[in-house]
Amino acid sequence: MAINYIYPEFEVVRNADRCTACRVCALQCANGVHTYADGVMISDERKCVACHRCVALCPTRALKIVKSDHTFRPNGNWSGQAIEEIYRQAETGGVLLSSMGNPTSLPVYWDKILINASQVTNPPIDPLREPMETRVFLGKKPNGMRRNPDGTLDTRMSPQLELKVPILFSAMSYGSISYNAHASLAQAAAELGTYYNTGEGGLHEDFYQYGANTIVQVASGRFGVHPDYLEAGAAIEIKMGQGAKPGIGGHLPGAKISEDVSETRMIPQGTDAISPAPHHDIYSIEDLRQLVYSLKEATAYRKPIIVKVAAVHNIAAIASGIARSGADVIAIDGFRGGTGAAPTRVRDNVGIPIELALAAVDQRLRDEGIRNEVSLVIGGSVRNSADVVKAVALGADAVYIGTSALIALGCHLCRSCQTGLCNWGIATQRPDLVKRLDPDVGRQRLVNLVSAWNHEIQELMGGMGINSIESMRGNRLMLRGVGLNQTELDIFGIKHAGA
Amino acid sequence: MVIDAKQYDFQALNEQIRAAEGDVTVENCMGHRFIAAGASGRTITINGVPGNALGCYLNCATVVVNGNAQDAVGDTMNDGRIVIHGDAGDAVGYAMRGGQIYVRGNVGYRAGIHMKAYKDKVPAVIIGGHAGSFLGEYQAGGIIIVLGIDCPDDRVIGEFCGTGVHGGRIFIRAHEIKRALPPQVRCEVATDEDLASVRDYIRQYETCFSRKIPDDGKRLFVLSPNSANPYKKMYAVN
């Protein structure tokens, strides 16, 4: 018999007193954990990813998933995970592949930054009574007044994106996520007055109707990019990098290339979709400028162009280059950003926290006098409305949310997207799984989430005595650090709490 | 309509072209970029040398260049036809989705990379002379033909031809394929069926440039992916 080096990570605990052997768990689990045999349910725990689908649907609450307490001999250096990863690679010779954002315990700086509130002077504002503006415009802003030759004001503006809330849904491709997940995001964006992002997989023809609330992405694989697609969106995003996997391209496993995905991407069904690491026509800022202008030319300068990059060591200098490339918006994705599949080592070790990247970029663009030339959108990961407020106070114009949006749709962060067996109907193309996500329910849950966050943002702004998000942007006096060293405080441009 | 490019920068020239009705001839073109970006339903003739990204995102328009072209001709082109009466630079037909590009002479590096296809939408790049390295990398569909006219076998393609291909075909006319090919690529002598599928393109080339394929004893080889999942085995689910 083959030796099994890896003990299952989770245990399926089934309360026999409650289980009626109704088999809902077996029907719901695409991983095949539960089976019915001789009048009882049995579990193959090796297949469990802790997605909780069976737990959530068990009518008698007979199930729970617990982390196994099976252990290696405790070792401060060699964790169980480190040992098991070696077993996996020794067995397969493969590059370790993971999904969703970096789960390691590296610092989360949002949690070390605190927000100010007014007390006696400059009193707080009651958002229930006073108007609180959270609308944002993304795009180049004029540096000064310009006049026409006849003396009248030149009121021409670069194209702008209007957001009713400072939150957009970040790029997740059709292919990596399902048709119903895209439908939920598109409809929610339209209802909220914001935007969702097609990701690099093209735009399904059914979703052209949401074009006014769509950002269409152009990545190195150029999947689904054609003039109608570029025209369909309100803005075009060039994807240079992704926070979860800076410096490498995308790889959508063949198992997720269904017929529809094949048509949208124009690649053979069932084969792997490869986005190479670089755009093969961009090897410099000058080349990036060429792609920016080719897209502007193709859309007659009517659409803002966003350039998305991953937060890496030299991000401030890179952003400065992008600002000079003609881009209207820079999107920066931090190292906690999600992904449908990324090599584990890249996801967990490459890139820097978005909080530091944002502060460094905003400061550099101000120092160089070009902050007005671009808007800044950040993501990866923004987990709640306080993170949004902190991001805006550090200099962001708006934030992208991806993982938070998926969680609203039912994602349980089991981090198994690459298998294409998402039991929640999100990261899968299997029709029986996709239909578990009802777009009407999904839309409502997303609208609820973002509306709730927007109310909280207004509350937090009101507390600071600020009634417009414009007055909060880059307002670092509203932030203080706790437990940060002087270098960190200097990069954030904030004082320590108490100072 | 005839537009003299000499007096315009690229932005002004392209605005003129967009504003013009019907067919356009551009005279004195000297490196103006993005000509015919996303254009459809017309013929644009260019006398001179257009700049980078000629006919990017082209949408069923015809572009004729009486001269050489620079980099990124037909980048992400969707449909239509580009004819270059000369040589073209790097990345010809990058991520092309449909239509045809005919180049009388040679092309630079990375031609036809990431070309795609779906059902009857099959793009084609036809090159009269030789192609540089990285030809057809990551190709997912479509047809690339390198005719190798007046070109020795060791020059007709460069290094790394077809790395990562997972669809489409590359045809190369030579006595022998002299360059080493990556493991993802299968190379065979074209069958009668293969020849029939590209005969039209070759005829079109001859018509476009009034140039006969010489009777020099060269054969047509066809390169295709030898696995549907070229990188699949590299990963271990963690």
Side-chain angles (χ1 to χ4, degrees):
Chain A
M1 216 174 126
I3 298 175
N4 204 342
Y5 282 92
I6 296 173
Y7 190 85
E9 190 177 357
F10 306 104
E11 283 173 23
V12 178
V13 179
R14 194 185 310 270
N15 185 331
D17 293 342
R18 289 184 172 186
C19 180
T20 59
C22 72
R23 301 189 224 178
V24 162
C25 50
L27 289 169
Q28 289 291 326
C29 184
N31 297 304
V33 171
H34 307 279
T35 44
Y36 177 77
D38 300 332
V40 289
M41 299 301 305
I42 52 171
S43 323
D44 183 353
E45 288 158 327
R46 287 172 307 166
K47 296 174 179 166
C48 180
V49 296
C51 77
H52 294 188
R53 180 75 187 180
C54 57
V55 175
L57 271 91
C58 177
T60 58
R61 285 193 307 284
L63 286 169
K64 67 176 175 180
I65 309 297
V66 296
K67 185 151 173 50
S68 169
D69 57 7
H70 170 77
T71 183
F72 291 97
R73 184 166 190 176
N75 186 321
N77 183 34
W78 287 97
S79 65
Q81 189 188 344
I83 295 169
E84 288 187 354
E85 284 175 351
I86 287 189
Y87 288 153
R88 282 199 177 90
Q89 294 193 289
E91 206 162 295
T92 62
V95 170
L96 295 170
L97 194 68
S98 294
S99 305
M100 296 312 289
N102 183 341
T104 60
S105 56
L106 288 158
V108 178
Y109 283 102
W110 300 130
D111 296 340
K112 298 183 177 194
I113 297 174
L114 297 171
I115 299 166
N116 192 29
S118 303
Q119 291 302 297
V120 180
T121 57
N122 182 24
I125 303 168
D126 181 356
L128 294 176
R129 198 183 63 202
E130 308 289 338
M132 302 292 286
E133 186 62 84
T134 55
R135 197 164 40 151
V136 171
F137 291 87
L138 302 180
K140 289 180 190 298
K141 305 294 185 293
N143 278 316
M145 244 178 2
R146 291 182 310 256
R147 287 191 182 277
N148 296 315
D150 64 359
T152 56
L153 267 185
D154 180 354
T155 56
R156 285 174 303 167
M157 286 277 287
S158 291
Q160 305 282 320
L161 276 186
E162 181 181 347
L163 285 66
K164 293 220 172 76
V165 290
I167 297 161
L168 311 91
F169 298 125
S170 52
M172 291 176 279
S173 71
Y174 177 47
S176 75
I177 61 170
S178 66
Y179 179 97
N180 284 357
H182 257 213
S184 305
L185 289 163
Q187 291 171 18
E191 190 169 330
L192 289 162
T194 184
Y195 302 84
Y196 86 110
N197 188 314
T198 61
E200 61 181 300
L203 181 60
H204 193 284
E205 57 186 18
D206 295 354
F207 300 140
Y208 274 74
Q209 57 177 311
Y210 305 109
N213 296 93
T214 305
I215 294 168
V216 295
Q217 201 180 56
V218 173
S220 61
R222 304 283 160 83
F223 298 114
V225 179
H226 54 92
D228 292 347
Y229 169 80
L230 299 176
E231 279 300 330
I236 302 167
E237 180 172 275
I238 299 171
K239 179 193 177 187
M240 297 302 302
Q242 181 177 347
K245 40 184 169 179
I248 68 163
H251 188 127
L252 184 63
K256 284 170 103 170
I257 316 274
S258 63
E259 189 178 344
D260 254 13
V261 173
S262 156
E263 178 171 2
T264 309
R265 294 196 179 214
M266 287 188 78
I267 52 169
Q269 197 175 338
T271 76
D272 297 15
I274 302 158
S275 286
H279 287 250
H280 285 285
D281 50 359
I282 302 180
Y283 294 163
S284 65
I285 291 289
E286 291 76 11
D287 289 349
L288 174 63
R289 185 179 176 83
Q290 179 176 312
L291 185 58
V292 167
Y293 273 87
S294 84
L295 292 165
K296 286 183 182 241
E297 284 284 346
T299 53
Y301 297 86
R302 283 179 282 105
K303 318 255 180 199
I305 308 292
I306 304 167
V307 173
K308 177 182 177 180
V309 285
V312 290
H313 299 183
N314 266 332
I315 189 63
I318 293 164
S320 167
I322 296 170
R324 295 162 203 278
S325 76
D328 300 272
V329 181
I330 304 177
I332 308 173
D333 195 15
F335 81 147
R336 298 259 182 208
T339 176
T344 310
R345 295 291 169 250
V346 174
R347 184 194 65 176
D348 295 354
N349 294 282
V350 182
I352 64 170
I354 190 58
E355 303 91 320
L356 293 166
L358 164 62
V361 167
D362 180 65
Q363 192 56 50
R364 171 69 79 94
L365 297 181
R366 283 170 194 278
D367 290 348
E368 295 184 357
I370 52 174
R371 181 63 183 81
N372 272 355
E373 291 291 313
V374 282
S375 293
L376 267 183
V377 179
I378 64 101
S381 68
V382 174
R383 305 157 303 165
N384 55 51
S385 61
D387 290 356
V388 180
V389 167
K390 291 168 191 175
V392 172
L394 284 175
D397 290 86
V399 304
Y400 264 137
I401 60 167
T403 303
S404 299
L406 294 187
I407 293 173
L409 291 176
C411 168
H412 278 57
L413 279 181
C414 76
R415 311 201 300 262
S416 312
C417 318
Q418 77 271 25
T419 63
L421 296 175
C422 177
N423 277 320
W424 295 92
I426 301 167
T428 179
Q429 300 301 325
R430 234 174 73 173
D432 60 315
L433 300 177
V434 172
K435 74 176 184 202
R436 293 180 183 178
L437 177 61
D438 179 343
D440 287 334
V441 175
R443 170 190 52 83
Q444 191 57 54
R445 292 180 65 86
L446 290 166
V447 169
N448 288 347
L449 177 77
V450 175
S451 304
W453 285 19
N454 201 46
H455 285 140
E456 290 175 339
I457 292 166
Q458 291 176 338
E459 291 272 351
L460 288 164
M461 278 169 37
M464 287 183 266
I466 288 173
N467 63 5
S468 163
I469 199 155
E470 303 268 335
S471 316
M472 192 167 69
R473 182 178 321 124
N475 193 340
R476 300 187 189 194
L477 287 171
M478 291 296 135
L479 303 176
R480 290 287 189 275
V482 276
L484 297 179
N485 66 34
Q486 194 55 50
T487 307
E488 291 165 325
L489 293 168
D490 289 346
I491 293 167
F492 285 125
I494 62 175
K495 292 179 177 174
H496 201 278
Chain B
M1 184 178 172
V2 178
I3 301 171
D4 187 350
K6 206 186 268 178
Q7 49 187 323
Y8 300 119
D9 67 4
F10 78 86
Q11 255 169 304
L13 173 65
N14 291 327
E15 208 178 301
Q16 294 277 323
I17 295 173
R18 277 197 297 271
E21 301 267 322
D23 296 348
V24 172
T25 300
V26 178
E27 296 288 354
N28 298 313
C29 189
M30 273 184 286
H32 295 80
R33 293 180 169 194
F34 317 118
I35 294 176
S40 49
R42 59 207 302 205
T43 297
I44 297 171
T45 307
I46 296 158
N47 295 321
V49 179
N52 290 357
L54 169 76
C56 52
Y57 321 105
L58 194 75
N59 213 8
C60 64
T62 300
V63 177
V64 179
V65 179
N66 295 311
N68 297 323
Q70 297 187 347
D71 296 345
V73 172
D75 187 341
T76 323
M77 168 172 170
N78 188 46
D79 207 347
R81 189 174 156 105
I82 299 178
V83 179
I84 313 282
H85 288 266
D87 295 338
D90 296 341
V92 173
Y94 178 1
M96 200 175 162
R97 305 159 44 88
Q100 297 112 44
I101 300 176
Y102 291 91
V103 180
R104 184 185 192 280
N106 309 316
V107 300
Y109 293 142
R110 308 192 297 278
I113 65 172
H114 250 294
M115 276 170 75
K116 305 169 181 6
Y118 185 74
K119 291 190 176 160
D120 54 351
K121 208 162 154 62
V122 180
V125 176
I126 298 93
I127 299 153
H130 56 74
S133 295
F134 315 107
L135 177 73
E137 265 193 328
Y138 304 108
Q139 190 183 7
I143 295 170
I144 301 171
I145 304 171
V146 187
L147 294 170
I149 299 173
D150 301 334
C151 165
D153 285 355
D154 58 352
R155 292 228 31 210
V156 63
I157 54 168
E159 310 277 4
F160 310 112
C161 176
T163 308
V165 292
H166 50 125
R169 288 173 301 164
I170 303 173
F171 290 85
I172 296 163
R173 212 179 63 91
H175 297 99
E176 293 296 336
I177 299 296
K178 290 270 177 76
R179 295 280 187 170
L181 295 167
Q184 302 94 3
V185 176
R186 185 171 56 205
C187 178
E188 291 158 321
V189 176
T191 62
D192 288 346
E193 201 180 325
D194 290 330
L195 290 172
S197 69
V198 294
R199 190 160 292 139
D200 258 7
Y201 296 116
I202 295 173
R203 232 176 252 152
Q204 290 275 337
Y205 177 90
E206 293 181 321
T207 314
C208 269
F209 303 116
S210 310
R211 192 181 195 200
K212 277 267 165 236
I213 308 293
D215 189 8
D216 50 11
K218 287 184 180 175
R219 296 178 292 172
L220 208 53
F221 292 87
V222 56
L223 276 45
S224 57
N226 67 2
S227 157
N229 304 312
Y231 294 121
K232 195 172 185 176
K233 288 198 185 77
M234 279 174 53
Y235 292 112
V237 171
N238 190 22

